[in-house]
Amino acid sequence: MEADKNGISDAVRKLTEKLRRFKNAEPESVRVEPVRKDSFLQQRINENEAAARKKTVETYHGYMAPMDVFGADSYRAAAAAKDTDLIFKAYTLYKSVMEASKSNTDDSTRLSHIEIETPLTKNESYTIGGMFIYLQLWLMFEQCIEDYIPIIVPEKGSKYHLAFESLQSHYFTADEKEIMAAVKNAYYS
């Protein structure tokens, strides 16, 4: 019985010694810091923001160079090219009317507002889907407009029309400002 106690004590002593040597021999680089919940969450937020910026930049690129992005025979390329053409025509029409009205306007007689009808105002991705900012940015950056910016104005029911306002007085939402910053950084910095 005495031999068993010595055998168990000896085994426990040897195991304790091995564990002590193992712990002392472990390099610092192998030790893992405990993962903090807030750092993990911040990493996920950063990844999501980077993915959103990438999607924003890719979406704008589809308007900037639709044939390159979608292919020359693609329906999406044709649709993007048509939409940029339509917004540029609307801008040109509005600017022409404003220029023509300058010579015939005085304090008492002037244009109060101009409503433009275009297929763009029938496209839900522009009217309620938040995609209209890409056409606005295309006008600003690709066509270098600095005077008027198009806006979609709701009418009664589910109808919309296109109007323009001064670019300097236009209010961009926080989301639109983020999209604008991502596009500027990717293509115009």
Side-chain angles (χ1 to χ4, degrees):
M1 188 84 141
E2 188 69 31
D4 285 341
K5 281 186 182 179
N6 283 342
I8 291 174
S9 296
D10 192 39
V12 169
R13 187 180 49 74
K14 286 181 181 180
L15 180 61
T16 303
E17 180 61 28
K18 278 187 179 183
L19 289 174
R20 186 185 58 76
R21 282 193 318 247
F22 179 75
K23 185 177 178 185
N24 290 338
E26 182 181 292
E28 291 295 319
S29 63
V30 174
R31 292 184 187 166
V32 178
E33 293 286 325
V35 176
R36 294 182 52 191
K37 189 175 184 177
D38 56 346
S39 66
F40 175 75
L41 291 175
Q42 187 61 51
Q43 179 183 356
R44 295 287 295 162
I45 289 169
N46 293 345
E47 289 170 358
N48 288 342
E49 287 176 352
R53 277 191 303 277
K54 181 180 179 195
K55 183 178 180 191
T56 294
V57 167
E58 289 172 352
T59 301
Y60 180 75
H61 195 226
Y63 288 95
M64 192 173 81
M67 302 304 169
D68 295 340
V69 174
F70 302 118
D73 297 329
S74 165
Y75 170 77
R76 289 182 70 189
K82 180 182 175 189
D83 290 351
T84 54
D85 185 52
L86 288 171
I87 200 69
F88 188 69
K89 284 180 180 177
Y91 167 77
T92 303
L93 175 62
Y94 180 81
K95 188 160 179 167
S96 298
V97 169
M98 294 305 289
E99 291 294 322
S101 74
K102 281 183 182 177
S103 61
N104 297 316
T105 301
D106 61 26
D107 290 339
S108 62
T109 306
R110 62 182 170 75
L111 287 172
S112 64
H113 71 280
I114 300 170
E115 295 178 6
I116 298 174
E117 288 192 31
T118 174
L120 297 173
T121 59
K122 294 172 180 65
N123 185 329
E124 286 186 353
S125 64
Y126 296 133
T127 58
I128 59 175
M131 297 294 289
F132 193 66
I133 183 66
Y134 294 101
L135 291 175
Q136 291 173 318
L137 294 177
W138 179 84
L139 272 176
M140 290 169 52
F141 297 140
E142 289 296 303
Q143 301 304 312
C144 302
I145 67 136
E146 296 177 346
D147 46 6
Y148 304 110
I149 188 147
I151 57 171
I152 292 183
V153 180
E155 297 175 3
K156 287 185 179 179
S158 60
K159 294 188 177 195
Y160 299 87
H161 69 267
L162 197 64
F164 284 81
E165 64 184 24
S166 167
L167 180 59
Q168 282 68 35
S169 65
H170 179 71
Y171 173 77
F172 288 99
T173 66
D175 289 341
E176 291 171 336
K177 288 177 184 177
E178 284 184 32
I179 291 170
M180 186 184 304
V183 166
K184 271 185 181 178
N185 188 41
Y187 298 111
Y188 305 104
S189 57

